[in-house]
Amino acid sequence: MSLNEFVNLGMARYKNETALKTLGLRIKAYRIKAQLEILDLAVMTGFSYNAISDIENGSETSISYFIEVCFALGIHPKEMMDIEFEVKSKNSLTPDRMEKSRLTQRIRALIQSGYFKDPRSTSDVTKNLTEIYKLDFESKNVSVILARFATTNTLIATKKGIRNLYSAK
């Protein structure tokens, strides 16, 4: 199985068929109201007849295709999307993932506050966060987040022995 086939299988598992069918029917209704054939939309967008037909039938499509079809129909995509949907995430965040996100935000706040004007170790940051937020979390999570900030050039990481020290850019 090729990578593209694998990705397509993965995407197929997660598509929202109800939303795609609803949008496809709306696009078809607008096309008919505008007295256009599928082939007309194909010419106007540069997409194949089958691509337009697939969109109208609720098949998976890219956001770029959807936008271009809306433009060809003379309608803003947000207007086309004005449909009642149940707005609910497919999955909830686990408490562990939620805490890691909060930890990232807390470290970002330390960066913005000037805390890293002096070089800080992971242990320094962990102690500081523990004192401020009265929480118990693993320093390895802090270490991963600090390393991520260093790779995005938000912090500078320097080695001191076996430890990394992080300072403001």
Side-chain angles (χ1 to χ4, degrees), residues 27 30-47 52 55-56 64-77 80:
I27 287 170
Y30 273 94
R31 176 182 58 76
I32 291 169
K33 184 178 177 183
Q35 299 181 342
L36 296 170
E37 298 293 324
I38 290 176
L39 191 54
D40 298 328
L41 269 185
V43 169
M44 294 168 78
T45 60
F47 305 150
I52 302 297
I55 292 169
E56 286 188 359
S64 296
Y65 274 51
F66 170 74
I67 291 169
E68 196 59 39
V69 168
C70 290
F71 289 169
L73 290 170
I75 183 167
H76 196 285
M80 186 68 75

Side-chain angles (χ1 to χ4, degrees), residues 92-108:
S92 299
L93 286 178
T94 63
D96 185 52
R97 178 67 248 155
M98 196 175 297
E99 189 53 41
K100 287 177 183 173
S101 291
R102 283 191 194 111
L103 190 55
T104 299
Q105 298 308 317
R106 290 169 176 160
I107 291 172
R108 182 174 284 116

Side-chain angles (χ1 to χ4, degrees), residues 76-167:
H76 196 285
K78 74 176 181 182
E79 195 175 324
M80 186 68 75
M81 295 286 294
D82 189 17
I83 301 170
E84 289 296 322
F85 291 115
E86 179 184 1
V87 179
K88 180 181 171 195
S89 175
K90 185 176 187 88
N91 301 303
S92 299
L93 286 178
T94 63
D96 185 52
R97 178 67 248 155
M98 196 175 297
E99 189 53 41
K100 287 177 183 173
S101 291
R102 283 191 194 111
L103 190 55
T104 299
Q105 298 308 317
R106 290 169 176 160
I107 291 172
R108 182 174 284 116
L110 286 177
I111 293 168
Q112 292 169 345
S113 74
Y115 175 77
F116 288 94
K117 75 176 184 197
D118 296 322
R120 308 289 183 164
S121 69
T122 299
S123 147
D124 296 334
V125 177
T126 302
K127 285 177 192 170
N128 183 288
L129 290 169
T130 301
E131 287 173 16
I132 293 171
Y133 296 104
K134 310 289 187 245
L135 296 173
D136 184 29
F137 47 85
E138 298 182 50
S139 64
K140 70 178 183 180
N141 293 336
V142 173
S143 179
V144 168
I145 295 166
L146 290 172
R148 190 175 335 120
F149 278 121
T151 61
T152 61
N153 294 320
T154 305
L155 292 174
I156 299 170
T158 54
K159 281 279 191 199
K160 183 175 182 183
I162 61 170
R163 292 179 149 189
N164 279 332
L165 294 178
Y166 298 92
S167 54

